[in-house]
Amino acid sequence: MTTWNEVIQRVEPLEDIPVDAALVNDLQQSIQRGSDPGSVHFYTPTFKSYQTSELADCGKSAWPAMSITGGDCKLACDHCKAKILEPMIPVRTPEDLWAQVNNVIESGAQGMLLTGGSNHRNEVEYDPYYSTIRRIKDEFPEFRIALHTALVDDNIATSMEQAGIDAAMMDVIGAQDTITQVYHLRRSVDDFEQTLESLVNTNMKVVPHIVIGLHYGKLLGEWNALEMLARHLPDAVVLVVVMPFYAPASRPFETPDVHAVGRFFHDARERLGDTPLLLGCARPPGEAKSQIDSYAVMAGLSGIAHPAEGVVELAARLGKKVRVTPACCSIAVGDEVMAEDGTSAESGVEIDLDTIVAEEARRREQERKARQGLGGIRIVTEGNAAAGGGCHV
């Protein structure tokens, strides 16, 4: 029987990528206990054969992000320093929100990600916006709204549900030291679990995030967060790996141990059963990204945004059903968040191994010719650039 360690060596872009052979064997044994090798949905703009007119300008997102506080946040967490909010569309008043939603709908937006900076209790003060959100949903019922909730209680969760929010998203943190030191927050792990419980008791889709390596690059509370999710099963889970571009020099982050990340993928898949797991676009670039993405495929994650070179081929060689949607990051997350009614499984294009190999060969030849034309300088493709930047969600 061919081992997965041998299969990785057959994929040219991955043949020299260091992996933990014992972990790969464990992943293979876990998957092969079931008769179906599974499927994986890739969201990537790099497969040119499957580009569509919607991707002519990847910057015009079908899922724009808006912030009710602009770039302001009281917490200024060490991994973010509120910088993640700055490129979002500011909607500092309900009137601004109504106007901007009308603008993006005219431009073809399918939905939006609505968020804002937190107060000192890690609450986003949405109260003035609920009536406007309800108006948006009544006027444009097909327009989807995913909301970053921060911490809530039962009453706030009910208000969000009644306003018409389609999907609720939150970070689940399982270590008190991370809450105190990274988030500068006087709240408890129990507060995060209570928020999760309040949200899953509504009719909203609940899609929490686990930020792997959130404690300055170390894995600390991730497995506890996983247990919280197992106790209050959501509709889907997004896993991302910390990318602390804005961390202060006085509180530096290290790159998380990629093999520990792979082990966490394995444990998450085992613990959460059939719950859809998506690897979001935020994760370290370069060799670490190739390792992380390879582990994600082998662990049986159901969706991966912006896969590293060779990872789509790896999935096909492992016998998985491969589907590709040529999508930007926000579209990918929006589709995964909102389409847990089964429509996501029908989007994109299902492709076979021969097509994948031919596409990868075409892309590598294109890059080779481009390097020759520029004296050997490596070309950063659209997909590489998107993967290296990433967004929190």
Side-chain angles (χ1 to χ4, degrees):
M1 180 182 68
T2 303
T3 70
W4 284 8
N5 281 292
E6 294 170 328
V7 173
I8 295 173
Q9 297 302 309
R10 297 177 184 173
V11 182
E12 182 178 338
L14 302 177
E15 60 186 358
D16 296 323
I17 296 295
V19 295
D20 182 330
L23 173 57
V24 171
N25 286 334
D26 287 346
L27 295 170
Q28 181 174 4
Q29 292 174 13
S30 294
I31 294 296
Q32 290 182 341
R33 283 198 290 267
S35 58
D36 184 359
S39 61
V40 59
H41 195 151
F42 294 100
Y43 302 89
T44 172
T46 61
F47 269 63
K48 303 302 181 184
S49 299
Y50 302 99
Q51 291 279 14
T52 63
S53 59
E54 287 84 2
L55 290 175
D57 183 352
C58 198
K60 291 185 177 178
S61 174
W63 282 83
M66 300 187 191
S67 169
I68 69 169
T69 62
D72 298 333
C73 179
K74 300 293 186 184
L75 290 181
C77 304
D78 282 350
H79 67 300
C80 167
K81 292 300 180 184
K83 298 295 185 181
I84 289 174
L85 297 173
E86 288 183 358
M88 298 182 182
I89 300 171
V91 285
R92 292 181 178 272
T93 68
E95 293 75 21
D96 288 344
L97 176 62
W98 174 253
Q100 290 292 352
V101 165
N102 278 269
N103 288 339
V104 300
I105 288 176
E106 287 182 7
S107 300
Q110 302 167 12
M112 65 178 292
L113 307 174
L114 184 61
T115 185
S118 298
N119 61 22
H120 290 294
R121 289 181 50 77
N122 195 26
E123 300 162 339
V124 182
E125 297 174 359
Y126 290 115
D127 280 359
Y129 290 81
Y130 290 137
S131 60
T132 300
I133 294 170
R134 183 70 265 170
R135 181 185 176 192
I136 292 167
K137 292 299 298 182
D138 290 341
E139 186 74 19
F140 308 106
E142 299 303 315
F143 187 75
R144 302 298 185 222
I145 301 178
L147 185 79
H148 171 66
T149 68
L151 294 180
V152 304
D153 58 21
D154 289 344
N155 291 333
I156 296 174
T158 299
S159 295
M160 292 174 174
E161 177 187 26
Q162 292 175 345
I165 295 299
D166 297 285
M169 302 189 297
M170 62 169 292
D171 291 341
V172 181
I173 304 176
Q176 187 61 51
D177 283 349
T178 303
I179 295 170
T180 304
Q181 297 171 26
V182 179
Y183 269 51
H184 312 148
L185 185 61
R186 294 182 180 178
R187 299 293 293 266
S188 69
V189 171
D190 288 343
D191 290 329
F192 283 82
E193 181 161 10
Q194 181 58 58
T195 290
L196 183 60
E197 182 177 6
S198 295
L199 294 173
V200 298
N201 285 337
T202 70
N203 291 321
M204 295 183 291
K205 293 184 184 296
V206 180
V207 187
H209 291 56
I210 295 180
V211 183
I212 303 170
L214 183 57
H215 195 84
Y216 303 103
K218 299 181 183 299
L219 277 71
L220 184 61
E222 284 81 354
W223 279 271
N224 189 34
L226 189 59
E227 290 304 312
M228 293 157 63
L229 291 171
R231 287 193 290 270
H232 311 284
L233 279 176
D235 294 279
V237 174
V238 176
L239 305 176
V240 296
V241 184
V242 72
M243 297 178 66
F245 291 129
Y246 309 111
S250 60
R251 306 296 297 271
F253 283 66
E254 61 187 50
T255 299
D257 182 315
V258 294
H259 309 303
V261 172
R263 176 63 63 182
F264 183 75
F265 290 162
H266 171 266
D267 293 346
R269 181 71 287 165
E270 292 277 298
R271 191 68 182 92
L272 297 181
D274 294 331
T275 302
L277 293 177
L278 170 71
L279 179 60
C281 63
R283 51 201 188 274
E287 181 178 88
K289 177 180 169 65
S290 296
Q291 294 167 301
I292 289 168
D293 290 12
S294 296
Y295 287 137
V297 164
M298 292 185 286
L301 270 63
S302 49
I304 299 177
H306 296 309
E309 292 181 20
V311 171
V312 179
E313 180 181 341
L314 174 63
R317 288 190 181 278
L318 295 178
K320 295 180 178 293
K321 183 183 295 184
V322 173
R323 187 172 291 273
V324 171
T325 294
C328 302
C329 185
S330 59
I331 299 173
V333 174
D335 179 71
E336 188 72 17
V337 165
M338 301 311 307
E340 291 309 322
D341 56 2
T343 57
S344 64
E346 301 303 322
S347 63
V349 178
E350 189 173 322
I351 53 179
D352 58 23
L353 177 60
D354 290 342
T355 303
I356 294 168
V357 171
E359 174 70 21
E360 288 286 341
R362 182 205 61 76
R363 181 192 52 75
R364 286 195 290 270
E365 177 64 14
Q366 187 178 55
E367 284 194 0
R368 184 187 66 79
K369 290 180 178 178
R371 286 196 298 271
Q372 288 178 340
L374 293 175
I377 299 174
R378 176 174 171 78
I379 303 300
V380 179
T381 65
E382 180 183 8
N384 295 137
C391 66
H392 177 63
V393 297

